[in-house]
Amino acid sequence: MPLHPVPLGFVFRSRAKDEKAHADKAPVTDSNQPRDPQAPKGRPTPKRSEAQSQRRSVANTPTTRKEAAKRQRDERRTSMAKQREALASGDERYLPARDKGPVRKFARDFIDSRFCIAEFFLPLAVIILVLSMVRIAQLQNVALLLWLFVIVMIVVDSIGIAIRLKKQLAARFPDVPKRGAVAYALMRSLQMRRLRLPKPQVKRGERP
């Protein structure tokens, strides 16, 4: 049978010619816009702000669990430092959640602007305890009566503070939630003025 000759040009065709043909068929792109060496092929060069934000996010992302834990500790330490400064200065931005808001601020100022019998509870308790330890029957009876008198006075004064504060809150903040504000104020009244946190922002006698 006659053998069909195999075209050798197909086998030994130059590879350079194929690449040139493909290059000729490739779409022409606009080369006027320079491409960022870090930008992927076929995508426009990112803006400088976008590139910086991407690099910053990559740099700030913790790579190990140890680094993530260290970053959390640093953030917690910074947050606590800001809270301590806010408790001393009254800065609303960094106060704890229980102290934030205009209602809580008014409750603090309402207590800080007046004398409260409850704030003298600790000093009076120490005096009564010392009197009760003296082995004299008359002094022990005086200490007991004084203790009962202080308790009654604190209860009466606290009831009066709660009633007046409720009226003031209802008049000043009619549409704002006021849940827990009275209890918050009464707990503050039990603390001595110089030990209160956040620090008092009004003077005694200065109405909020």
Side-chain angles (χ1 to χ4, degrees):
M1 294 178 60
L3 297 176
H4 296 283
V6 179
L8 298 180
F10 174 78
V11 178
F12 299 102
R13 186 168 53 185
S14 174
R15 185 178 179 183
K17 291 182 180 181
D18 291 342
E19 293 179 353
K20 185 176 180 181
H22 286 298
D24 293 338
K25 294 180 181 179
V28 179
T29 58
D30 186 9
S31 60
N32 293 330
Q33 181 180 3
R35 188 179 66 82
D36 189 355
Q38 298 179 355
K41 288 185 177 182
R43 298 182 183 179
T45 303
K47 295 182 180 179
R48 179 178 298 178
S49 59
E50 296 177 357
Q52 290 178 352
S53 63
Q54 291 176 0
R55 287 195 296 270
R56 193 179 298 112
S57 62
V58 172
N60 293 334
T61 303
T63 56
T64 62
R65 182 178 299 180
K66 186 176 180 180
E67 291 180 1
K70 182 177 182 299
R71 178 162 299 178
Q72 290 180 355
R73 288 195 301 269
D74 294 340
E75 292 176 354
R76 191 181 305 112
R77 192 179 299 113
T78 302
S79 177
M80 293 298 296
K82 289 181 178 180
Q83 281 191 7
R84 285 193 296 269
E85 293 176 1
L87 290 173
S89 63
D91 190 350
E92 285 281 336
R93 295 175 299 173
Y94 304 111
L95 285 176
R98 66 182 179 87
D99 298 314
K100 283 185 177 180
V103 174
R104 297 300 174 98
K105 184 179 186 307
F106 180 82
R108 292 196 301 270
D109 293 343
F110 185 87
I111 295 298
D112 297 336
S113 64
R114 63 191 68 233
F115 283 96
C116 302
I117 298 177
E119 66 180 292
F120 303 106
F121 173 76
L122 288 178
L124 290 174
V126 173
I127 295 173
I128 294 171
L129 180 62
V130 172
L131 290 176
S132 63
M133 293 176 65
V134 178
R135 297 192 176 185
I136 299 176
Q138 294 180 348
L139 287 179
Q140 290 180 348
N141 292 333
V142 169
L144 180 59
L145 292 175
L146 185 59
W147 180 255
L148 293 175
F149 177 77
V150 169
I151 295 297
V152 171
M153 291 297 295
I154 289 175
V155 171
V156 173
D157 186 48
S158 298
I159 292 174
I161 288 175
I163 293 173
R164 291 192 297 270
L165 180 57
K166 280 184 179 179
K167 291 182 179 179
Q168 292 283 342
L169 290 175
R172 291 176 180 249
F173 308 99
D175 301 327
V176 180
K178 296 174 282 293
R179 183 178 179 181
V182 175
Y184 173 78
L186 293 178
M187 290 298 297
R188 186 174 179 86
S189 68
L190 288 170
Q191 302 171 351
M192 299 180 66
R193 180 181 172 87
R194 61 181 178 180
L195 300 179
R196 292 172 183 170
L197 292 174
K199 294 290 186 182
Q201 302 296 315
V202 297
K203 298 179 180 179
R204 293 190 191 271
E206 180 183 352
R207 292 294 180 259

